[in-house]
Amino acid sequence: MTPIELLAPARNLEYGKAAIIHGADAVYIGAPCFSARADAANPVADIEQLVRFAHLYRAKVYVTLNTILYDNEIDAAVRLIRQLYEAGIDALIIQDMGLLQYDLPPVPLFASTQTHNHTPEKVAFLEKAGFRRVILARELSISQIETIRQHTNIELECFVHGALCVSYSGQCYMSHAIAGRSGNRGVCAQPCRSAYRLLDADGRTIVENEHLLSLKDLNLSGHLAALINAGVMSFKIEGRLKDLNYVKNITAFYRRRLDAIIENNERLAKASSGNIDLQFTPDPYKTFNRGYTTYFIDGRNEKVASPQTQKSTGERLGKITQVTPQWFTIDTKAIISNGDGLCWLNLPKGLEGVLVNRVEGKKIFPAKPVQLKPGMEIFRNNDFVFEKMLAGNSADRRVAVSFGLCEHESGYTLRVEDEDGNQAEYTTQVQKIPAKDVVTARNQINTQLRKLGNSVFSASEVVIPDMFGYFIPAAELNEMRRQAIQHLENIRVECYQAKPEKESFKSQVSSLPSASSQARFGLAKPCNLDYHGNVANQYAKDFYHQHGVEHIDDAFELQNDYRGKTLMTTKHCIKYQYNMCQVKQRPSGKWKEPLFLKDNRHSYRLEFDCRACEMRVVLESSNIR
């Protein structure tokens, strides 16, 4: 059977535990440093606590150490990896190939999506280099993933939900070029969420002040079965900087979706243990989203940007039907509550919103005066009742155990076995007291043994021999249960944390992909690697030299002049977004190329590769450099 993994974000220890309780088979969490989300770093001690908690459920903990590293950092990174290995982590997510030059502990290595895993050639190279798993580029279609699976045996992980980087991951240099904050170093300033003007070569404005590079959020919940059939085994939720309710809601939503698929396919299995009891109905529209897209999973068939706003719009409620100075009404079946946050697009200003002060029947009284008109679409980006529900005890996850009680010459033995076959027992030496009322005594035993309180277990069965006729005091039963359960917890963790035997992660390849495929791998020309290779230290250079690269440019972050350089390569096409594509659309307007994006400080030239169906953003001019 193939285990199918739901992988959720963990901003910290608390978020990681919540993700697991709400159904995650694994979580990914930032290391104390060198993580692609610098604002989501965590001490090793917290990661070690999360590991123990996760392993009680047979869930896994993956640590992100996926920035590019400078020469003066890589030794510290290796020391940190050894500490994380001792903490019991299940895998390490990395980007920098220099780490493979070291004698690392035998922790499985995952190739971050920052390594731009977008072709069969690149994935095969990483597999031979010693990686256990690759995290696929978000831009891939189902058919492209199928092709990668046909040519490789490595584990495939893909993002299925959350915010989208407009550029190919690991190939965006815009933030560093204009703000000195590198996405490949974990401190992206998110210039893709800013507003820009679109101009043609004659300086004529085509679009004024819109978020031209800001994408909707990914939602592939309707494609999970197809992705499984294509070869994906791990389904990843984006969001290490999102709030706790987002993690709870979205994790629970995908848990239900995957469980429904697994239950109807005997070849599939859950990747962790325990049954999840939810106290709410998950709904992805009720937590942060900019509107949803399936991106390019079925090819280019939709507009993926959200140019009018980069903020969360939430769920669509309906249209305004009546407006007065004090209240308004909406054509909706949804229940509006006091404290809800409503919003609407008021162009050209953008997204506006208001809190609901009170509701009387269909009349909604806002907390402040608002300018609304009949026919305007209204969204709810904060559902007060839903958020309050999630803020409480919103889920419980329990591992099933069965108890067996028997007597021996001088006392009793309590045996316990969990759903994964782990066993423990506790034996007492006590005076046996014959029961005055056997039925009552047996009922008391059954009741007390099932009281598992705050443990991770729930009792599915209590087996008492037919001839057992003793009275056992409640305090003694509680102690027997506590000791047996504690022993079982230790066994579960110890068995799961058994470290693998030493193995090598040195590269098994003698050269990079063939010359015909080197451009797709990321080479500027055969045997050369330009700044897109993100090589920032000598160890990474040595790695590529050993695999046939003759000339290696320094990483973008180590260069001085950014003008004329491609800052991002993206499948998002502004021409397609605005009905200007000569290949897939019939544009009616006239404009002169090249096209430019401009803000108050920078100008970017847009280049369009229609054969590859890609757009490049090139820094034309800047008042910074």
PDB file of all heavy atoms in Angstrom, residues 130-161:
ATOM      1  N   GLY A 130      21.427  12.147  -4.383  1.00  0.00           N
ATOM      2  CA  GLY A 130      21.241  11.640  -3.037  1.00  0.00           C
ATOM      3  C   GLY A 130      19.996  12.110  -2.328  1.00  0.00           C
ATOM      4  O   GLY A 130      19.787  11.776  -1.163  1.00  0.00           O
ATOM      5  N   PHE A 131      19.144  12.881  -2.995  1.00  0.00           N
ATOM      6  CA  PHE A 131      17.930  13.364  -2.354  1.00  0.00           C
ATOM      7  C   PHE A 131      16.888  12.258  -2.274  1.00  0.00           C
ATOM      8  O   PHE A 131      16.740  11.444  -3.190  1.00  0.00           O
ATOM      9  CB  PHE A 131      17.352  14.561  -3.119  1.00  0.00           C
ATOM     10  CG  PHE A 131      18.132  15.832  -2.905  1.00  0.00           C
ATOM     11  CD1 PHE A 131      19.163  16.185  -3.760  1.00  0.00           C
ATOM     12  CD2 PHE A 131      17.849  16.658  -1.838  1.00  0.00           C
ATOM     13  CE1 PHE A 131      19.889  17.346  -3.567  1.00  0.00           C
ATOM     14  CE2 PHE A 131      18.570  17.824  -1.621  1.00  0.00           C
ATOM     15  CZ  PHE A 131      19.598  18.175  -2.489  1.00  0.00           C
ATOM     16  N   ARG A 132      16.141  12.243  -1.169  1.00  0.00           N
ATOM     17  CA  ARG A 132      15.062  11.275  -0.978  1.00  0.00           C
ATOM     18  C   ARG A 132      13.773  11.753  -1.653  1.00  0.00           C
ATOM     19  O   ARG A 132      12.954  10.941  -2.087  1.00  0.00           O
ATOM     20  CB  ARG A 132      14.815  11.089   0.514  1.00  0.00           C
ATOM     21  CG  ARG A 132      13.652  10.143   0.877  1.00  0.00           C
ATOM     22  CD  ARG A 132      14.019   8.703   0.779  1.00  0.00           C
ATOM     23  NE  ARG A 132      15.146   8.385   1.647  1.00  0.00           N
ATOM     24  CZ  ARG A 132      15.043   8.095   2.935  1.00  0.00           C
ATOM     25  NH1 ARG A 132      13.862   8.088   3.535  1.00  0.00           N
ATOM     26  NH2 ARG A 132      16.112   7.785   3.649  1.00  0.00           N
ATOM     27  N   ARG A 133      13.575  13.065  -1.687  1.00  0.00           N
ATOM     28  CA  ARG A 133      12.323  13.632  -2.201  1.00  0.00           C
ATOM     29  C   ARG A 133      12.603  14.957  -2.881  1.00  0.00           C
ATOM     30  O   ARG A 133      13.526  15.675  -2.514  1.00  0.00           O
ATOM     31  CB  ARG A 133      11.337  13.837  -1.049  1.00  0.00           C
ATOM     32  CG  ARG A 133      10.001  14.455  -1.442  1.00  0.00           C
ATOM     33  CD  ARG A 133       9.130  14.770  -0.239  1.00  0.00           C
ATOM     34  NE  ARG A 133       8.720  13.582   0.502  1.00  0.00           N
ATOM     35  CZ  ARG A 133       7.866  13.603   1.511  1.00  0.00           C
ATOM     36  NH1 ARG A 133       7.341  14.758   1.921  1.00  0.00           N
ATOM     37  NH2 ARG A 133       7.524  12.493   2.133  1.00  0.00           N
ATOM     38  N   VAL A 134      11.775  15.292  -3.884  1.00  0.00           N
ATOM     39  CA  VAL A 134      11.805  16.630  -4.474  1.00  0.00           C
ATOM     40  C   VAL A 134      10.440  17.270  -4.269  1.00  0.00           C
ATOM     41  O   VAL A 134       9.401  16.596  -4.334  1.00  0.00           O
ATOM     42  CB  VAL A 134      12.159  16.634  -5.969  1.00  0.00           C
ATOM     43  CG1 VAL A 134      13.589  16.157  -6.195  1.00  0.00           C
ATOM     44  CG2 VAL A 134      11.174  15.815  -6.783  1.00  0.00           C
ATOM     45  N   ILE A 135      10.466  18.557  -4.009  1.00  0.00           N
ATOM     46  CA  ILE A 135       9.243  19.349  -3.896  1.00  0.00           C
ATOM     47  C   ILE A 135       9.062  20.054  -5.237  1.00  0.00           C
ATOM     48  O   ILE A 135       9.846  20.916  -5.601  1.00  0.00           O
ATOM     49  CB  ILE A 135       9.344  20.351  -2.738  1.00  0.00           C
ATOM     50  CG1 ILE A 135       9.656  19.597  -1.441  1.00  0.00           C
ATOM     51  CG2 ILE A 135       8.047  21.140  -2.603  1.00  0.00           C
ATOM     52  CD1 ILE A 135      10.098  20.477  -0.297  1.00  0.00           C
ATOM     53  N   LEU A 136       8.052  19.650  -5.960  1.00  0.00           N
ATOM     54  CA  LEU A 136       7.893  20.047  -7.350  1.00  0.00           C
ATOM     55  C   LEU A 136       7.556  21.525  -7.497  1.00  0.00           C
ATOM     56  O   LEU A 136       6.944  22.141  -6.620  1.00  0.00           O
ATOM     57  CB  LEU A 136       6.798  19.212  -8.008  1.00  0.00           C
ATOM     58  CG  LEU A 136       7.076  17.705  -8.107  1.00  0.00           C
ATOM     59  CD1 LEU A 136       5.820  16.968  -8.531  1.00  0.00           C
ATOM     60  CD2 LEU A 136       8.232  17.426  -9.069  1.00  0.00           C
ATOM     61  N   ALA A 137       7.938  22.068  -8.656  1.00  0.00           N
ATOM     62  CA  ALA A 137       7.560  23.437  -8.992  1.00  0.00           C
ATOM     63  C   ALA A 137       6.041  23.537  -9.056  1.00  0.00           C
ATOM     64  O   ALA A 137       5.360  22.642  -9.560  1.00  0.00           O
ATOM     65  CB  ALA A 137       8.174  23.836 -10.328  1.00  0.00           C
ATOM     66  N   ARG A 138       5.509  24.642  -8.569  1.00  0.00           N
ATOM     67  CA  ARG A 138       4.057  24.812  -8.528  1.00  0.00           C
ATOM     68  C   ARG A 138       3.451  24.940  -9.917  1.00  0.00           C
ATOM     69  O   ARG A 138       2.249  24.723 -10.097  1.00  0.00           O
ATOM     70  CB  ARG A 138       3.709  26.067  -7.720  1.00  0.00           C
ATOM     71  CG  ARG A 138       4.005  25.991  -6.223  1.00  0.00           C
ATOM     72  CD  ARG A 138       3.797  27.376  -5.633  1.00  0.00           C
ATOM     73  NE  ARG A 138       3.866  27.428  -4.183  1.00  0.00           N
ATOM     74  CZ  ARG A 138       4.976  27.627  -3.490  1.00  0.00           C
ATOM     75  NH1 ARG A 138       6.135  27.757  -4.139  1.00  0.00           N
ATOM     76  NH2 ARG A 138       4.949  27.705  -2.177  1.00  0.00           N
ATOM     77  N   GLU A 139       4.252  25.303 -10.898  1.00  0.00           N
ATOM     78  CA  GLU A 139       3.734  25.599 -12.239  1.00  0.00           C
ATOM     79  C   GLU A 139       3.433  24.354 -13.064  1.00  0.00           C
ATOM     80  O   GLU A 139       2.873  24.454 -14.169  1.00  0.00           O
ATOM     81  CB  GLU A 139       4.744  26.467 -13.001  1.00  0.00           C
ATOM     82  CG  GLU A 139       4.915  27.867 -12.455  1.00  0.00           C
ATOM     83  CD  GLU A 139       5.812  27.948 -11.219  1.00  0.00           C
ATOM     84  OE1 GLU A 139       6.391  26.903 -10.825  1.00  0.00           O
ATOM     85  OE2 GLU A 139       5.945  29.037 -10.646  1.00  0.00           O
ATOM     86  N   LEU A 140       3.781  23.174 -12.575  1.00  0.00           N
ATOM     87  CA  LEU A 140       3.660  21.961 -13.372  1.00  0.00           C
ATOM     88  C   LEU A 140       2.204  21.535 -13.562  1.00  0.00           C
ATOM     89  O   LEU A 140       1.369  21.716 -12.681  1.00  0.00           O
ATOM     90  CB  LEU A 140       4.429  20.819 -12.719  1.00  0.00           C
ATOM     91  CG  LEU A 140       5.946  20.988 -12.645  1.00  0.00           C
ATOM     92  CD1 LEU A 140       6.563  19.815 -11.904  1.00  0.00           C
ATOM     93  CD2 LEU A 140       6.556  21.120 -14.035  1.00  0.00           C
ATOM     94  N   SER A 141       1.947  20.950 -14.717  1.00  0.00           N
ATOM     95  CA  SER A 141       0.631  20.369 -14.997  1.00  0.00           C
ATOM     96  C   SER A 141       0.627  18.899 -14.600  1.00  0.00           C
ATOM     97  O   SER A 141       1.679  18.301 -14.330  1.00  0.00           O
ATOM     98  CB  SER A 141       0.307  20.498 -16.483  1.00  0.00           C
ATOM     99  OG  SER A 141       1.194  19.692 -17.253  1.00  0.00           O
ATOM    100  N   ILE A 142      -0.562  18.311 -14.584  1.00  0.00           N
ATOM    101  CA  ILE A 142      -0.680  16.883 -14.289  1.00  0.00           C
ATOM    102  C   ILE A 142       0.163  16.063 -15.259  1.00  0.00           C
ATOM    103  O   ILE A 142       0.891  15.151 -14.849  1.00  0.00           O
ATOM    104  CB  ILE A 142      -2.152  16.431 -14.363  1.00  0.00           C
ATOM    105  CG1 ILE A 142      -2.972  17.003 -13.194  1.00  0.00           C
ATOM    106  CG2 ILE A 142      -2.245  14.900 -14.373  1.00  0.00           C
ATOM    107  CD1 ILE A 142      -2.696  16.384 -11.854  1.00  0.00           C
ATOM    108  N   SER A 143       0.094  16.365 -16.533  1.00  0.00           N
ATOM    109  CA  SER A 143       0.847  15.586 -17.529  1.00  0.00           C
ATOM    110  C   SER A 143       2.350  15.735 -17.329  1.00  0.00           C
ATOM    111  O   SER A 143       3.107  14.774 -17.525  1.00  0.00           O
ATOM    112  CB  SER A 143       0.449  16.003 -18.946  1.00  0.00           C
ATOM    113  OG  SER A 143       0.752  17.371 -19.181  1.00  0.00           O
ATOM    114  N   GLN A 144       2.812  16.917 -16.929  1.00  0.00           N
ATOM    115  CA  GLN A 144       4.244  17.102 -16.681  1.00  0.00           C
ATOM    116  C   GLN A 144       4.694  16.314 -15.458  1.00  0.00           C
ATOM    117  O   GLN A 144       5.794  15.762 -15.439  1.00  0.00           O
ATOM    118  CB  GLN A 144       4.551  18.584 -16.502  1.00  0.00           C
ATOM    119  CG  GLN A 144       4.455  19.391 -17.796  1.00  0.00           C
ATOM    120  CD  GLN A 144       4.598  20.883 -17.561  1.00  0.00           C
ATOM    121  OE1 GLN A 144       4.006  21.435 -16.625  1.00  0.00           O
ATOM    122  NE2 GLN A 144       5.389  21.540 -18.387  1.00  0.00           N
ATOM    123  N   ILE A 145       3.851  16.260 -14.440  1.00  0.00           N
ATOM    124  CA  ILE A 145       4.179  15.462 -13.254  1.00  0.00           C
ATOM    125  C   ILE A 145       4.226  13.975 -13.615  1.00  0.00           C
ATOM    126  O   ILE A 145       5.103  13.239 -13.161  1.00  0.00           O
ATOM    127  CB  ILE A 145       3.165  15.729 -12.128  1.00  0.00           C
ATOM    128  CG1 ILE A 145       3.280  17.183 -11.648  1.00  0.00           C
ATOM    129  CG2 ILE A 145       3.389  14.773 -10.959  1.00  0.00           C
ATOM    130  CD1 ILE A 145       2.201  17.592 -10.673  1.00  0.00           C
ATOM    131  N   GLU A 146       3.299  13.537 -14.444  1.00  0.00           N
ATOM    132  CA  GLU A 146       3.298  12.143 -14.888  1.00  0.00           C
ATOM    133  C   GLU A 146       4.602  11.804 -15.608  1.00  0.00           C
ATOM    134  O   GLU A 146       5.172  10.722 -15.414  1.00  0.00           O
ATOM    135  CB  GLU A 146       2.114  11.894 -15.820  1.00  0.00           C
ATOM    136  CG  GLU A 146       0.765  11.851 -15.103  1.00  0.00           C
ATOM    137  CD  GLU A 146      -0.393  11.742 -16.073  1.00  0.00           C
ATOM    138  OE1 GLU A 146      -0.194  12.059 -17.273  1.00  0.00           O
ATOM    139  OE2 GLU A 146      -1.492  11.357 -15.646  1.00  0.00           O
ATOM    140  N   THR A 147       5.088  12.725 -16.427  1.00  0.00           N
ATOM    141  CA  THR A 147       6.337  12.491 -17.157  1.00  0.00           C
ATOM    142  C   THR A 147       7.512  12.392 -16.192  1.00  0.00           C
ATOM    143  O   THR A 147       8.392  11.533 -16.350  1.00  0.00           O
ATOM    144  CB  THR A 147       6.576  13.622 -18.170  1.00  0.00           C
ATOM    145  OG1 THR A 147       5.486  13.672 -19.094  1.00  0.00           O
ATOM    146  CG2 THR A 147       7.872  13.400 -18.936  1.00  0.00           C
ATOM    147  N   ILE A 148       7.538  13.255 -15.192  1.00  0.00           N
ATOM    148  CA  ILE A 148       8.602  13.184 -14.186  1.00  0.00           C
ATOM    149  C   ILE A 148       8.562  11.844 -13.469  1.00  0.00           C
ATOM    150  O   ILE A 148       9.603  11.209 -13.246  1.00  0.00           O
ATOM    151  CB  ILE A 148       8.466  14.356 -13.192  1.00  0.00           C
ATOM    152  CG1 ILE A 148       8.845  15.674 -13.879  1.00  0.00           C
ATOM    153  CG2 ILE A 148       9.335  14.133 -11.958  1.00  0.00           C
ATOM    154  CD1 ILE A 148       8.588  16.904 -13.042  1.00  0.00           C
ATOM    155  N   ARG A 149       7.375  11.389 -13.095  1.00  0.00           N
ATOM    156  CA  ARG A 149       7.264  10.091 -12.421  1.00  0.00           C
ATOM    157  C   ARG A 149       7.746   8.957 -13.322  1.00  0.00           C
ATOM    158  O   ARG A 149       8.379   8.006 -12.851  1.00  0.00           O
ATOM    159  CB  ARG A 149       5.806   9.866 -11.989  1.00  0.00           C
ATOM    160  CG  ARG A 149       5.443   8.500 -11.496  1.00  0.00           C
ATOM    161  CD  ARG A 149       6.432   7.886 -10.496  1.00  0.00           C
ATOM    162  NE  ARG A 149       6.464   8.537  -9.220  1.00  0.00           N
ATOM    163  CZ  ARG A 149       7.563   8.970  -8.613  1.00  0.00           C
ATOM    164  NH1 ARG A 149       8.757   8.839  -9.199  1.00  0.00           N
ATOM    165  NH2 ARG A 149       7.532   9.544  -7.442  1.00  0.00           N
ATOM    166  N   GLN A 150       7.455   9.022 -14.595  1.00  0.00           N
ATOM    167  CA  GLN A 150       7.862   7.960 -15.511  1.00  0.00           C
ATOM    168  C   GLN A 150       9.381   7.845 -15.632  1.00  0.00           C
ATOM    169  O   GLN A 150       9.909   6.776 -15.944  1.00  0.00           O
ATOM    170  CB  GLN A 150       7.256   8.207 -16.897  1.00  0.00           C
ATOM    171  CG  GLN A 150       5.744   8.007 -16.940  1.00  0.00           C
ATOM    172  CD  GLN A 150       5.111   8.577 -18.202  1.00  0.00           C
ATOM    173  OE1 GLN A 150       5.822   9.041 -19.115  1.00  0.00           O
ATOM    174  NE2 GLN A 150       3.791   8.575 -18.254  1.00  0.00           N
ATOM    175  N   HIS A 151      10.097   8.941 -15.369  1.00  0.00           N
ATOM    176  CA  HIS A 151      11.552   8.950 -15.551  1.00  0.00           C
ATOM    177  C   HIS A 151      12.323   8.926 -14.229  1.00  0.00           C
ATOM    178  O   HIS A 151      13.561   8.951 -14.250  1.00  0.00           O
ATOM    179  CB  HIS A 151      11.966  10.182 -16.361  1.00  0.00           C
ATOM    180  CG  HIS A 151      11.540  10.127 -17.791  1.00  0.00           C
ATOM    181  ND1 HIS A 151      10.285  10.509 -18.220  1.00  0.00           N
ATOM    182  CD2 HIS A 151      12.204   9.711 -18.904  1.00  0.00           C
ATOM    183  CE1 HIS A 151      10.199  10.352 -19.533  1.00  0.00           C
ATOM    184  NE2 HIS A 151      11.343   9.863 -19.965  1.00  0.00           N
ATOM    185  N   THR A 152      11.625   8.893 -13.090  1.00  0.00           N
ATOM    186  CA  THR A 152      12.306   8.900 -11.791  1.00  0.00           C
ATOM    187  C   THR A 152      11.564   7.998 -10.807  1.00  0.00           C
ATOM    188  O   THR A 152      10.395   7.655 -11.016  1.00  0.00           O
ATOM    189  CB  THR A 152      12.362  10.323 -11.196  1.00  0.00           C
ATOM    190  OG1 THR A 152      11.030  10.796 -10.957  1.00  0.00           O
ATOM    191  CG2 THR A 152      13.088  11.285 -12.122  1.00  0.00           C
ATOM    192  N   ASN A 153      12.260   7.645  -9.718  1.00  0.00           N
ATOM    193  CA  ASN A 153      11.649   6.863  -8.646  1.00  0.00           C
ATOM    194  C   ASN A 153      11.595   7.621  -7.331  1.00  0.00           C
ATOM    195  O   ASN A 153      11.116   7.095  -6.327  1.00  0.00           O
ATOM    196  CB  ASN A 153      12.436   5.561  -8.442  1.00  0.00           C
ATOM    197  CG  ASN A 153      12.351   4.638  -9.642  1.00  0.00           C
ATOM    198  OD1 ASN A 153      11.260   4.359 -10.138  1.00  0.00           O
ATOM    199  ND2 ASN A 153      13.499   4.177 -10.120  1.00  0.00           N
ATOM    200  N   ILE A 154      12.084   8.832  -7.308  1.00  0.00           N
ATOM    201  CA  ILE A 154      12.168   9.631  -6.100  1.00  0.00           C
ATOM    202  C   ILE A 154      10.773  10.017  -5.609  1.00  0.00           C
ATOM    203  O   ILE A 154       9.816  10.059  -6.396  1.00  0.00           O
ATOM    204  CB  ILE A 154      13.010  10.905  -6.387  1.00  0.00           C
ATOM    205  CG1 ILE A 154      13.452  11.588  -5.103  1.00  0.00           C
ATOM    206  CG2 ILE A 154      12.251  11.862  -7.296  1.00  0.00           C
ATOM    207  CD1 ILE A 154      14.482  12.687  -5.334  1.00  0.00           C
ATOM    208  N   GLU A 155      10.625  10.251  -4.294  1.00  0.00           N
ATOM    209  CA  GLU A 155       9.344  10.712  -3.759  1.00  0.00           C
ATOM    210  C   GLU A 155       9.011  12.084  -4.339  1.00  0.00           C
ATOM    211  O   GLU A 155       9.873  12.955  -4.436  1.00  0.00           O
ATOM    212  CB  GLU A 155       9.405  10.814  -2.230  1.00  0.00           C
ATOM    213  CG  GLU A 155       9.527   9.483  -1.527  1.00  0.00           C
ATOM    214  CD  GLU A 155       9.598   9.648  -0.011  1.00  0.00           C
ATOM    215  OE1 GLU A 155       9.497  10.803   0.472  1.00  0.00           O
ATOM    216  OE2 GLU A 155       9.755   8.634   0.692  1.00  0.00           O
ATOM    217  N   LEU A 156       7.736  12.280  -4.697  1.00  0.00           N
ATOM    218  CA  LEU A 156       7.277  13.549  -5.260  1.00  0.00           C
ATOM    219  C   LEU A 156       6.308  14.224  -4.299  1.00  0.00           C
ATOM    220  O   LEU A 156       5.330  13.633  -3.864  1.00  0.00           O
ATOM    221  CB  LEU A 156       6.594  13.323  -6.613  1.00  0.00           C
ATOM    222  CG  LEU A 156       7.433  12.673  -7.709  1.00  0.00           C
ATOM    223  CD1 LEU A 156       6.620  12.554  -8.998  1.00  0.00           C
ATOM    224  CD2 LEU A 156       8.721  13.442  -7.961  1.00  0.00           C
ATOM    225  N   GLU A 157       6.613  15.466  -3.993  1.00  0.00           N
ATOM    226  CA  GLU A 157       5.765  16.286  -3.126  1.00  0.00           C
ATOM    227  C   GLU A 157       5.331  17.508  -3.919  1.00  0.00           C
ATOM    228  O   GLU A 157       6.120  18.071  -4.684  1.00  0.00           O
ATOM    229  CB  GLU A 157       6.568  16.712  -1.896  1.00  0.00           C
ATOM    230  CG  GLU A 157       5.881  17.690  -0.962  1.00  0.00           C
ATOM    231  CD  GLU A 157       6.806  18.154   0.149  1.00  0.00           C
ATOM    232  OE1 GLU A 157       7.436  17.303   0.798  1.00  0.00           O
ATOM    233  OE2 GLU A 157       6.907  19.387   0.362  1.00  0.00           O
ATOM    234  N   CYS A 158       4.087  17.931  -3.744  1.00  0.00           N
ATOM    235  CA  CYS A 158       3.646  19.125  -4.453  1.00  0.00           C
ATOM    236  C   CYS A 158       2.769  19.983  -3.554  1.00  0.00           C
ATOM    237  O   CYS A 158       2.101  19.490  -2.643  1.00  0.00           O
ATOM    238  CB  CYS A 158       2.908  18.776  -5.743  1.00  0.00           C
ATOM    239  SG  CYS A 158       1.220  18.193  -5.506  1.00  0.00           S
ATOM    240  N   PHE A 159       2.802  21.288  -3.820  1.00  0.00           N
ATOM    241  CA  PHE A 159       1.918  22.212  -3.131  1.00  0.00           C
ATOM    242  C   PHE A 159       0.502  22.047  -3.684  1.00  0.00           C
ATOM    243  O   PHE A 159       0.309  21.927  -4.891  1.00  0.00           O
ATOM    244  CB  PHE A 159       2.372  23.652  -3.350  1.00  0.00           C
ATOM    245  CG  PHE A 159       3.530  24.062  -2.496  1.00  0.00           C
ATOM    246  CD1 PHE A 159       4.829  23.930  -2.949  1.00  0.00           C
ATOM    247  CD2 PHE A 159       3.333  24.582  -1.226  1.00  0.00           C
ATOM    248  CE1 PHE A 159       5.909  24.314  -2.167  1.00  0.00           C
ATOM    249  CE2 PHE A 159       4.397  24.972  -0.433  1.00  0.00           C
ATOM    250  CZ  PHE A 159       5.692  24.839  -0.906  1.00  0.00           C
ATOM    251  N   VAL A 160      -0.480  22.072  -2.785  1.00  0.00           N
ATOM    252  CA  VAL A 160      -1.868  21.982  -3.222  1.00  0.00           C
ATOM    253  C   VAL A 160      -2.708  23.163  -2.739  1.00  0.00           C
ATOM    254  O   VAL A 160      -3.843  23.324  -3.186  1.00  0.00           O
ATOM    255  CB  VAL A 160      -2.533  20.668  -2.751  1.00  0.00           C
ATOM    256  CG1 VAL A 160      -1.922  19.477  -3.478  1.00  0.00           C
ATOM    257  CG2 VAL A 160      -2.437  20.499  -1.249  1.00  0.00           C
ATOM    258  N   HIS A 161      -2.148  23.991  -1.849  1.00  0.00           N
ATOM    259  CA  HIS A 161      -2.965  25.070  -1.305  1.00  0.00           C
ATOM    260  C   HIS A 161      -2.086  26.198  -0.775  1.00  0.00           C
ATOM    261  O   HIS A 161      -1.018  25.958  -0.225  1.00  0.00           O
ATOM    262  CB  HIS A 161      -3.853  24.569  -0.165  1.00  0.00           C
ATOM    263  CG  HIS A 161      -4.974  25.500   0.178  1.00  0.00           C
ATOM    264  ND1 HIS A 161      -6.236  25.358  -0.341  1.00  0.00           N
ATOM    265  CD2 HIS A 161      -5.016  26.620   0.946  1.00  0.00           C
ATOM    266  CE1 HIS A 161      -7.011  26.325   0.112  1.00  0.00           C
ATOM    267  NE2 HIS A 161      -6.283  27.119   0.902  1.00  0.00           N
TER     268      HIS A 161
END
